[in-house]
PDB file of all heavy atoms in Angstrom:
ATOM      1  N   LEU A  70      -4.332 -11.766  17.774  1.00  0.00           N
ATOM      2  CA  LEU A  70      -3.207 -12.581  17.607  1.00  0.00           C
ATOM      3  C   LEU A  70      -2.948 -13.381  18.932  1.00  0.00           C
ATOM      4  O   LEU A  70      -2.546 -14.532  19.098  1.00  0.00           O
ATOM      5  CB  LEU A  70      -1.850 -11.962  17.167  1.00  0.00           C
ATOM      6  CG  LEU A  70      -2.008 -11.387  15.740  1.00  0.00           C
ATOM      7  CD1 LEU A  70      -0.785 -10.623  15.381  1.00  0.00           C
ATOM      8  CD2 LEU A  70      -2.293 -12.426  14.700  1.00  0.00           C
ATOM      9  N   TYR A  71      -3.195 -12.655  20.030  1.00  0.00           N
ATOM     10  CA  TYR A  71      -3.015 -13.261  21.324  1.00  0.00           C
ATOM     11  C   TYR A  71      -3.934 -14.472  21.562  1.00  0.00           C
ATOM     12  O   TYR A  71      -3.576 -15.640  21.911  1.00  0.00           O
ATOM     13  CB  TYR A  71      -3.222 -12.266  22.565  1.00  0.00           C
ATOM     14  CG  TYR A  71      -3.183 -12.837  23.919  1.00  0.00           C
ATOM     15  CD1 TYR A  71      -2.076 -12.922  24.677  1.00  0.00           C
ATOM     16  CD2 TYR A  71      -4.475 -13.181  24.512  1.00  0.00           C
ATOM     17  CE1 TYR A  71      -2.171 -13.421  25.843  1.00  0.00           C
ATOM     18  CE2 TYR A  71      -4.558 -13.706  25.756  1.00  0.00           C
ATOM     19  CZ  TYR A  71      -3.267 -13.831  26.523  1.00  0.00           C
ATOM     20  OH  TYR A  71      -3.308 -14.358  27.691  1.00  0.00           O
ATOM     21  N   PHE A  72      -5.178 -14.333  21.155  1.00  0.00           N
ATOM     22  CA  PHE A  72      -6.165 -15.371  21.376  1.00  0.00           C
ATOM     23  C   PHE A  72      -5.976 -16.425  20.317  1.00  0.00           C
ATOM     24  O   PHE A  72      -6.297 -17.632  20.627  1.00  0.00           O
ATOM     25  CB  PHE A  72      -7.641 -14.739  21.364  1.00  0.00           C
ATOM     26  CG  PHE A  72      -7.926 -14.192  22.606  1.00  0.00           C
ATOM     27  CD1 PHE A  72      -8.248 -12.779  22.719  1.00  0.00           C
ATOM     28  CD2 PHE A  72      -8.037 -14.919  23.862  1.00  0.00           C
ATOM     29  CE1 PHE A  72      -8.413 -12.232  24.035  1.00  0.00           C
ATOM     30  CE2 PHE A  72      -8.313 -14.341  24.960  1.00  0.00           C
ATOM     31  CZ  PHE A  72      -8.493 -12.917  25.096  1.00  0.00           C
ATOM     32  N   LEU A  73      -5.506 -16.075  19.114  1.00  0.00           N
ATOM     33  CA  LEU A  73      -5.127 -17.123  18.167  1.00  0.00           C
ATOM     34  C   LEU A  73      -3.988 -18.020  18.870  1.00  0.00           C
ATOM     35  O   LEU A  73      -4.042 -19.281  18.743  1.00  0.00           O
ATOM     36  CB  LEU A  73      -4.622 -16.538  16.869  1.00  0.00           C
ATOM     37  CG  LEU A  73      -5.677 -16.128  15.870  1.00  0.00           C
ATOM     38  CD1 LEU A  73      -5.058 -15.375  14.723  1.00  0.00           C
ATOM     39  CD2 LEU A  73      -6.647 -17.133  15.466  1.00  0.00           C
ATOM     40  N   GLY A  74      -2.945 -17.429  19.492  1.00  0.00           N
ATOM     41  CA  GLY A  74      -2.002 -18.221  20.132  1.00  0.00           C
ATOM     42  C   GLY A  74      -2.484 -18.968  21.246  1.00  0.00           C
ATOM     43  O   GLY A  74      -2.075 -20.114  21.517  1.00  0.00           O
ATOM     44  N   ARG A  75      -3.353 -18.383  21.968  1.00  0.00           N
ATOM     45  CA  ARG A  75      -3.942 -19.067  23.222  1.00  0.00           C
ATOM     46  C   ARG A  75      -4.883 -20.169  22.907  1.00  0.00           C
ATOM     47  O   ARG A  75      -4.748 -21.214  23.538  1.00  0.00           O
ATOM     48  CB  ARG A  75      -4.818 -17.927  24.039  1.00  0.00           C
ATOM     49  CG  ARG A  75      -5.108 -18.489  25.442  1.00  0.00           C
ATOM     50  CD  ARG A  75      -5.381 -17.388  26.462  1.00  0.00           C
ATOM     51  NE  ARG A  75      -5.537 -18.093  27.749  1.00  0.00           N
ATOM     52  CZ  ARG A  75      -5.325 -17.396  28.773  1.00  0.00           C
ATOM     53  NH1 ARG A  75      -4.905 -16.134  28.749  1.00  0.00           N
ATOM     54  NH2 ARG A  75      -5.551 -18.036  30.012  1.00  0.00           N
ATOM     55  N   LEU A  76      -5.670 -20.073  21.751  1.00  0.00           N
ATOM     56  CA  LEU A  76      -6.664 -21.024  21.476  1.00  0.00           C
ATOM     57  C   LEU A  76      -6.146 -22.247  20.606  1.00  0.00           C
ATOM     58  O   LEU A  76      -6.600 -23.390  20.738  1.00  0.00           O
ATOM     59  CB  LEU A  76      -7.897 -20.440  20.867  1.00  0.00           C
ATOM     60  CG  LEU A  76      -8.651 -19.440  21.722  1.00  0.00           C
ATOM     61  CD1 LEU A  76      -9.742 -18.723  20.936  1.00  0.00           C
ATOM     62  CD2 LEU A  76      -9.178 -20.142  22.978  1.00  0.00           C
ATOM     63  N   GLY A  77      -5.138 -21.867  19.629  1.00  0.00           N
ATOM     64  CA  GLY A  77      -4.578 -22.941  18.688  1.00  0.00           C
ATOM     65  C   GLY A  77      -3.237 -22.825  18.558  1.00  0.00           C
ATOM     66  O   GLY A  77      -2.682 -23.577  17.749  1.00  0.00           O
ATOM     67  N   GLY A  78      -2.504 -22.088  19.287  1.00  0.00           N
ATOM     68  CA  GLY A  78      -1.035 -21.970  19.172  1.00  0.00           C
ATOM     69  C   GLY A  78      -0.219 -23.278  19.315  1.00  0.00           C
ATOM     70  O   GLY A  78       0.700 -23.484  18.719  1.00  0.00           O
ATOM     71  N   ASN A  79      -0.526 -23.989  20.335  1.00  0.00           N
ATOM     72  CA  ASN A  79       0.187 -25.128  20.746  1.00  0.00           C
ATOM     73  C   ASN A  79       0.004 -26.186  19.569  1.00  0.00           C
ATOM     74  O   ASN A  79       1.052 -26.816  19.169  1.00  0.00           O
ATOM     75  CB  ASN A  79      -0.276 -25.809  21.929  1.00  0.00           C
ATOM     76  CG  ASN A  79       0.332 -25.002  23.167  1.00  0.00           C
ATOM     77  OD1 ASN A  79       1.467 -24.645  23.200  1.00  0.00           O
ATOM     78  ND2 ASN A  79      -0.453 -24.861  24.152  1.00  0.00           N
ATOM     79  N   VAL A  80      -1.145 -26.332  19.001  1.00  0.00           N
ATOM     80  CA  VAL A  80      -1.388 -27.276  17.896  1.00  0.00           C
ATOM     81  C   VAL A  80      -0.565 -26.736  16.724  1.00  0.00           C
ATOM     82  O   VAL A  80       0.171 -27.661  16.107  1.00  0.00           O
ATOM     83  CB  VAL A  80      -2.831 -27.378  17.614  1.00  0.00           C
ATOM     84  CG1 VAL A  80      -3.102 -28.186  16.335  1.00  0.00           C
ATOM     85  CG2 VAL A  80      -3.699 -28.094  18.778  1.00  0.00           C
ATOM     86  N   PHE A  81      -0.742 -25.419  16.408  1.00  0.00           N
ATOM     87  CA  PHE A  81       0.059 -24.970  15.240  1.00  0.00           C
ATOM     88  C   PHE A  81       1.603 -25.052  15.364  1.00  0.00           C
ATOM     89  O   PHE A  81       2.267 -25.379  14.521  1.00  0.00           O
ATOM     90  CB  PHE A  81      -0.329 -23.508  15.038  1.00  0.00           C
ATOM     91  CG  PHE A  81       0.524 -22.879  14.130  1.00  0.00           C
ATOM     92  CD1 PHE A  81       0.354 -23.049  12.500  1.00  0.00           C
ATOM     93  CD2 PHE A  81       1.633 -22.014  14.456  1.00  0.00           C
ATOM     94  CE1 PHE A  81       1.151 -22.347  11.713  1.00  0.00           C
ATOM     95  CE2 PHE A  81       2.427 -21.383  13.470  1.00  0.00           C
ATOM     96  CZ  PHE A  81       2.092 -21.644  12.028  1.00  0.00           C
ATOM     97  N   LEU A  82       1.985 -24.813  16.629  1.00  0.00           N
ATOM     98  CA  LEU A  82       3.555 -24.826  17.042  1.00  0.00           C
ATOM     99  C   LEU A  82       3.952 -26.238  16.829  1.00  0.00           C
ATOM    100  O   LEU A  82       5.059 -26.432  16.314  1.00  0.00           O
ATOM    101  CB  LEU A  82       3.690 -24.280  18.402  1.00  0.00           C
ATOM    102  CG  LEU A  82       5.063 -24.048  18.840  1.00  0.00           C
ATOM    103  CD1 LEU A  82       5.829 -23.107  17.902  1.00  0.00           C
ATOM    104  CD2 LEU A  82       5.134 -23.544  20.276  1.00  0.00           C
ATOM    105  N   ARG A  83       3.406 -27.179  17.330  1.00  0.00           N
ATOM    106  CA  ARG A  83       3.761 -28.724  17.036  1.00  0.00           C
ATOM    107  C   ARG A  83       3.929 -28.987  15.741  1.00  0.00           C
ATOM    108  O   ARG A  83       4.878 -29.601  15.205  1.00  0.00           O
ATOM    109  CB  ARG A  83       2.861 -29.596  17.971  1.00  0.00           C
ATOM    110  CG  ARG A  83       3.139 -29.714  19.323  1.00  0.00           C
ATOM    111  CD  ARG A  83       2.430 -30.870  19.859  1.00  0.00           C
ATOM    112  NE  ARG A  83       1.020 -30.809  19.921  1.00  0.00           N
ATOM    113  CZ  ARG A  83       0.225 -30.154  20.782  1.00  0.00           C
ATOM    114  NH1 ARG A  83       0.785 -29.474  21.704  1.00  0.00           N
ATOM    115  NH2 ARG A  83      -1.150 -29.978  20.672  1.00  0.00           N
ATOM    116  N   ALA A  84       2.919 -28.622  14.878  1.00  0.00           N
ATOM    117  CA  ALA A  84       2.913 -28.884  13.431  1.00  0.00           C
ATOM    118  C   ALA A  84       4.143 -28.194  12.658  1.00  0.00           C
ATOM    119  O   ALA A  84       4.740 -28.652  11.875  1.00  0.00           O
ATOM    120  CB  ALA A  84       1.650 -28.598  12.791  1.00  0.00           C
ATOM    121  N   TYR A  85       4.365 -26.845  13.133  1.00  0.00           N
ATOM    122  CA  TYR A  85       5.353 -25.998  12.547  1.00  0.00           C
ATOM    123  C   TYR A  85       6.646 -26.645  12.892  1.00  0.00           C
ATOM    124  O   TYR A  85       7.534 -26.714  11.919  1.00  0.00           O
ATOM    125  CB  TYR A  85       5.143 -24.622  13.037  1.00  0.00           C
ATOM    126  CG  TYR A  85       6.202 -23.763  12.539  1.00  0.00           C
ATOM    127  CD1 TYR A  85       6.032 -23.051  11.232  1.00  0.00           C
ATOM    128  CD2 TYR A  85       7.334 -23.379  13.239  1.00  0.00           C
ATOM    129  CE1 TYR A  85       6.989 -22.265  10.763  1.00  0.00           C
ATOM    130  CE2 TYR A  85       8.345 -22.605  12.693  1.00  0.00           C
ATOM    131  CZ  TYR A  85       8.141 -21.870  11.401  1.00  0.00           C
ATOM    132  OH  TYR A  85       8.983 -21.037  11.009  1.00  0.00           O
ATOM    133  N   LEU A  86       6.923 -27.011  14.064  1.00  0.00           N
ATOM    134  CA  LEU A  86       8.179 -27.526  14.489  1.00  0.00           C
ATOM    135  C   LEU A  86       8.467 -28.947  13.978  1.00  0.00           C
ATOM    136  O   LEU A  86       9.730 -29.264  13.718  1.00  0.00           O
ATOM    137  CB  LEU A  86       8.371 -27.501  16.032  1.00  0.00           C
ATOM    138  CG  LEU A  86       8.492 -26.091  16.662  1.00  0.00           C
ATOM    139  CD1 LEU A  86       8.557 -26.235  18.192  1.00  0.00           C
ATOM    140  CD2 LEU A  86       9.661 -25.449  16.115  1.00  0.00           C
TER     141      LEU A  86
END
Side-chain angles (χ1 to χ4, degrees):
L70 293 180
Y71 172 89
F72 283 112
L73 283 173
R75 191 160 185 153
L76 299 174
N79 283 319
V80 172
F81 172 78
L82 190 57
R83 279 193 296 274
Y85 179 84
L86 289 174

